[in-house]
């Protein structure tokens, strides 16, 4: 099996991990209802399924670094968009509905656009895969950044984790007085 096919297979596995992890976290957060606050984040963090989803996202990131040892960034990175395609049926099923025709068209157009991009990128012949030492260095840097982010409480505004990604309701201010 050539390096390009290994890269494609591992990148697909990474996208499946990312997509499944994201859909699982979305499902758990939606069960709580309402805007995400510290109490709700605490509830989520006590659920094993939440941590399974976190592990899936971590596995997706680790696989993404591994795949860089076999393929160039210009080929590997676009394959990450397949996480959206893989998350689509999970999210629909867990919401108790079917994937709509419009959503399937979006998934199809995503794959079509990705195919065109990969053909163009692969035919350029430029770039080279990240070597094993470079992959380990990249993985170490990512882990260090995640640890520093977690140690700092998630964000300068004091809202860490999932709460940092959720907008505040209109009119609600943080303790620092910033919207």
């Amino acid at each position: 099996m050539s390096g390009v096919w290994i890269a494609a297979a591992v990148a697909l596995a990474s996208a499946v991990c990312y997509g499944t992890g994201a859909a699982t976290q979305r499902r758990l957060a939606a069960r709580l209802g309402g805007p995400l606050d510290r109490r709700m984040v605490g509830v989520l963090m006590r659920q094993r399924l939440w941590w399974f989803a976190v592990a899936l996202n971590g596995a997706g990131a680790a696989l993404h670094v591994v795949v860089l040892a076999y393929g160039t960034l210009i080929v590997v990175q676009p394959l990450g968009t397949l996480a959206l395609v893989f998350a689509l049926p999970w999210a629909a099923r867990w919401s108790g509905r079917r994937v709509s025709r419009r959503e399937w068209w979006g998934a199809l157009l995503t794959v079509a656009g990705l195919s065109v991009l990969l053909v163009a990128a692969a035919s350029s012949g430029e770039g080279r895969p990240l070597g094993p030492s470079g992959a380990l260095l990249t993985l170490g840097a990512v882990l260090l950044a995640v640890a520093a982010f977690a140690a700092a409480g998630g964000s300068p505004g004091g809202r860490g984790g999932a709460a940092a990604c959720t907008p505040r309701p209109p009119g609600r201010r943080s303790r620092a007085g910033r919207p």
Side-chain angles (χ1 to χ4, degrees), residues 67-94:
V67 77
L68 290 173
Y70 296 98
T72 62
L73 185 63
I74 198 162
V75 172
V76 170
Q77 190 64 28
L79 288 171
T81 61
L82 290 176
L84 298 169
V85 175
F86 291 125
L88 181 64
W90 286 113
R93 181 173 184 206
W94 289 335

Side-chain angles (χ1 to χ4, degrees), residues 25 29 32 34-45 50 54 149 153-169 172 174-175 179:
Q25 287 178 321
L32 296 177
L36 201 56
D37 59 14
R38 286 184 182 195
R39 184 192 63 77
M40 289 184 183
V41 170
V43 169
L44 286 173
M45 295 187 72
W50 179 265
V54 169
F149 183 74
S155 73
R159 293 180 354 143
C165 300
T166 306
R168 288 183 181 90
R172 186 172 171 192
S174 71
R175 282 187 256 169

Side-chain angles (χ1 to χ4, degrees), residues 97-121:
R97 62 177 184 81
R98 291 179 172 250
V99 177
S100 71
R101 175 174 279 164
R102 185 177 193 166
E103 290 169 327
W104 278 125
W105 272 109
L108 179 67
L109 291 173
T110 298
V111 171
L114 177 62
S115 300
V116 170
L117 180 65
L118 290 176
V119 167

